[in-house]
Amino acid sequence: MSNNGKMIRKKDLTLWERIYIPEILKGVGLTISQIFKPKSTIQYPEERFTPPASFRGRPVLVEENGVERCVACGLCSRVCPALAIEVQGSETDLEKERFPEKFEINMVRCIFCGFCEEVCPEEAIIMSQEYELVFQSQEEAVFGKDKLLVPIEKVRDRLEFLHEHR
Amino acid sequence: MNLIEPLVKVVLILAVMLTLVILLVYSERRISAFIQNRIGPNRVGPKGILQAVADVVKLLMKEDIVPKNANKPIHDLAPMISIGVAMSTFAVIPIGGTMVLLGQSVRLMLADVNIGILYILALTSMGVYGITLAGWSSNSKYSLLGGLRSSAQLISYELSMGLSIVGVLLIAGTLQLDGIVQAQSAYIGGWLPAWNVFLQPVAFVTFVVSAFAETNRLPFDLPEAEPELVGGYHTEYSGLKFGLFMLSEYVNLVVASAIIVTLFLGGYSVPFAEYMNLSAQTVSLIQVLTFCVKTAGVILFFVVIRWTLPRFRYDQLMDLGWKVMLPIALANLVVTGFILAAFS
């Protein structure tokens, strides 16, 4: 402290405040009034938190008309700071011409930064609202296409949010 | 001499005290949760009321760890001193008048000591030995600091505590707690009960503040100050011995509240009960109930204060004790003495 340890108050306390007891009682009143306010606890296993659209949960691949939007450009894998994404592209007869033969996200590595979502030109990989991730081994934590693909109806909220704010 | 009566009383008091403490721990946790917009323990038993029981069972099953360089006998002794002193203070507190039970008239206090207040003062200052020895024998710097703080704090606040009691004694004219309660059952001006809180408001405030310091409750819980001292004097304790410290802390809280009620809030006396034409038996029941309600009210006040005020800094604590509380208590004593001398 530069002022030689002396306390500096913006304004001197009045005598009423320096008696201290009325101020304590005021504080007690505030404390007691809190008792009747609504509780903010969520009792987890019974009640669950529904995150807003802006929430970045686990990344998922959008599935439209039974097939993923992803064209296996590899940008997400390139931008991923944690090197969690692995993509192997291949050719297809569909209009999009390319599709990911293998798409794996190592959920132990993922840091939920959302860069993959930001960089994706097809809006194919997006952050979902799911936050409950449990695995019992390293192998189990590597999510393949089977776990990543999510029908578009389930992620409408997020897509709308992205259209609005990006 | 009849030995059965005191024995029954001892067992009763111990049982009631332990149940009370369990309920107190639960209600404190619940109330503090409500104050912080949380829910608090609500899983064990209906509405979580058995949470404290579960905690006790957990503490019983935990390993008792004694640090390698600790002084083992004293390390073992300290929690016993703490709990023993805390429990035995309750012996002299009258929780009711005389009640007729099984054809015998029973005084509703364990020991009617004629120097009850001195006994209480002596025992509460004994309590500091438990804490200081715990801090010293653990051979850990945090524990030692906690113990030292505790002794410094108790010495500073015992003075103002004692002085504020003297005012009460001057009015009641006796050291017997029952006599002090009797003195408070009169009326001022015919309508206001002559409780010492109205006769000695300044002493009441200084006593309550000192009681906070004596029971190591926030805002004066420097001996355990978690952020600075880890756990203070009980850092090196675990299992049952830690549980005993915890228990004695809460017993101290109950005892301090009971003392405040007895000395300042009319004890077990019920205002205007004598105008209601009740039988002696009913009156004594109501008296016990009144005492419990009053004590619960004071305990609630202690709990709410804990979640309202932040902890004092150590120098502020000493300043408050020596520069504010002591002069106020002394001035109050002098003024009371003069007024009593002028009117007698």
Side-chain angles (χ1 to χ4, degrees):
Chain A
M1 272 196 261
S2 55
N3 46 8
N4 299 330
K6 273 185 195 154
M7 275 247 274
I8 291 185
R9 286 215 180 88
K10 281 191 183 129
K11 164 172 86 79
D12 271 352
L13 297 175
T14 60
L15 182 67
W16 182 249
E17 283 164 337
R18 264 188 293 149
I19 294 175
Y20 210 64
I21 289 162
E23 293 296 308
I24 290 179
L25 293 181
K26 232 157 107 186
V28 168
L30 187 72
T31 316
I32 291 175
S33 74
Q34 287 294 321
I35 294 179
F36 307 103
K37 296 252 172 80
K39 312 276 167 273
S40 45
T41 308
I42 296 171
Q43 304 202 48
Y44 173 63
E46 288 105 43
E47 294 168 27
R48 272 158 211 245
F49 165 60
T50 356
S54 55
F55 185 82
R56 290 203 305 262
R58 76 174 178 103
V60 295
L61 289 174
V62 181
E63 186 179 10
E64 206 173 11
N65 305 327
V67 66
E68 70 283 316
R69 277 177 167 182
C70 180
V71 295
C73 64
L75 276 175
C76 47
S77 152
R78 194 61 199 244
V79 81
C80 183
L83 305 179
I85 307 179
E86 193 185 339
V87 192
Q88 239 171 58
S90 186
E91 298 200 352
T92 166
D93 296 336
L94 292 170
E95 196 193 343
K96 64 177 186 176
E97 291 183 359
R98 277 169 60 82
F99 83 104
E101 198 173 46
K102 174 181 165 195
F103 198 108
E104 279 180 1
I105 302 183
N106 188 336
M107 289 314 295
V108 174
R109 289 191 150 199
C110 179
I111 56 170
F112 302 88
C113 63
F115 281 7
C116 46
E117 174 190 52
E118 233 172 274
V119 82
C120 184
E122 301 285 325
E123 276 187 347
I125 183 166
I126 63 171
M127 309 302 279
S128 68
Q129 274 141 303
E130 284 173 47
Y131 53 88
E132 286 164 327
L133 290 164
V134 181
F135 10 82
Q136 285 167 338
S137 66
Q138 295 274 334
E139 292 74 40
E140 217 182 303
V142 179
F143 283 17
K145 261 165 75 172
D146 54 324
K147 283 184 187 155
L148 288 175
L149 283 176
V150 163
I152 191 164
E153 292 77 32
K154 284 195 181 167
V155 288
R156 274 271 144 72
D157 279 4
R158 182 67 183 179
L159 286 170
E160 261 164 44
F161 170 82
L162 291 176
H163 292 159
E164 210 172 306
H165 295 281
R166 208 159 60 168
Chain B
M1 204 183 127
N2 187 0
L3 261 179
I4 299 167
E5 190 187 311
L7 258 179
V8 169
K9 280 179 185 170
V10 166
V11 171
L12 252 177
I13 285 181
L14 279 181
V16 170
M17 266 319 237
L18 291 176
T19 332
L20 260 182
V21 165
I22 280 177
L23 284 177
L24 174 58
V25 172
Y26 165 73
S27 51
E28 169 155 43
R29 286 180 65 181
R30 211 63 205 270
I31 291 167
S32 63
F34 285 159
I35 286 170
Q36 297 168 343
N37 298 345
R38 296 183 286 114
I39 292 175
N42 65 346
R43 297 291 154 135
V44 191
K47 294 267 172 200
I49 205 152
L50 297 177
Q51 181 65 46
V53 179
D55 288 347
V56 169
V57 171
K58 185 198 80 174
L59 279 177
L60 284 176
M61 298 204 285
K62 284 218 163 184
E63 186 191 352
D64 177 28
I65 300 164
V66 181
K68 197 175 159 199
N69 293 323
N71 189 333
K72 189 155 188 315
I74 296 182
H75 195 261
D76 288 344
L77 185 67
M80 293 181 211
I81 295 181
S82 264
I83 188 70
V85 166
M87 288 280 196
S88 47
T89 315
F90 206 79
V92 293
I93 293 170
I95 54 172
T98 315
M99 192 187 253
V100 181
L101 276 176
L102 307 170
Q104 270 184 319
S105 66
V106 181
R107 301 290 313 280
L108 290 178
M109 64 197 294
L110 183 55
D112 193 4
V113 188
N114 56 3
I115 48 160
I117 288 196
L118 281 185
Y119 174 82
I120 286 176
L121 279 178
L123 277 188
T124 44
S125 21
M126 281 281 291
V128 70
Y129 281 101
I131 294 176
T132 314
L133 285 180
W136 175 74
S137 67
S138 298
N139 207 350
S140 136
K141 46 185 167 293
Y142 294 121
S143 305
L144 184 61
L145 276 174
L148 288 179
R149 278 184 178 191
S150 158
S151 27
Q153 176 176 324
L154 285 189
I155 289 169
S156 328
Y157 280 84
E158 205 128 79
L159 282 172
S160 47
M161 193 176 203
L163 284 176
S164 47
I165 289 180
V166 175
V168 174
L169 295 184
L170 282 180
I171 287 177
T174 172
L175 281 165
Q176 210 168 356
L177 284 166
D178 211 32
I180 292 169
V181 174
Q182 296 297 337
Q184 291 181 76
S185 53
Y187 298 95
I188 313 168
W191 57 274
L192 189 67
W195 293 358
N196 283 324
V197 69
F198 303 121
L199 292 168
Q200 289 276 310
V202 179
F204 175 67
V205 171
T206 47
F207 187 85
V208 169
V209 173
S210 312
F212 272 100
E214 292 270 332
T215 48
N216 294 330
R217 295 278 299 183
L218 267 166
F220 302 117
D221 69 337
L222 286 126
E224 37 196 301
E226 291 89 356
E228 308 153 28
L229 296 182
V230 192
Y233 61 90
H234 54 54
T235 308
E236 304 294 346
Y237 280 88
S238 57
L240 188 57
K241 287 197 275 183
F242 171 76
L244 283 183
F245 274 123
M246 212 65 192
L247 184 66
S248 66
E249 209 164 279
Y250 280 96
V251 172
N252 270 329
L253 175 58
V254 176
V255 168
S257 309
I259 294 173
I260 290 174
V261 167
T262 312
L263 291 183
F264 290 97
L265 299 175
Y268 58 78
S269 73
V270 193
F272 311 115
E274 58 269 28
Y275 299 125
M276 278 187 261
N277 285 328
L278 297 165
S279 71
Q281 194 73 356
T282 332
V283 169
S284 57
L285 266 177
I286 293 179
Q287 281 175 341
V288 174
L289 217 70
T290 324
F291 181 80
C292 295
V293 169
K294 282 175 182 171
T295 313
V298 177
I299 290 175
L300 201 67
F301 178 70
F302 269 77
V303 169
V304 172
I305 283 285
R306 173 170 179 190
W307 301 100
T308 304
L309 297 178
R311 181 178 300 123
F312 275 69
R313 222 169 48 214
Y314 192 62
D315 58 322
Q316 291 172 331
L317 178 90
M318 286 295 150
D319 274 3
L320 185 69
W322 291 101
K323 294 189 195 159
V324 182
M325 298 319 263
L326 185 60
I328 287 181
L330 209 56
N332 176 61
L333 176 60
V334 172
V335 171
T336 314
F338 268 115
I339 290 177
L340 282 176
F343 280 90
S344 60

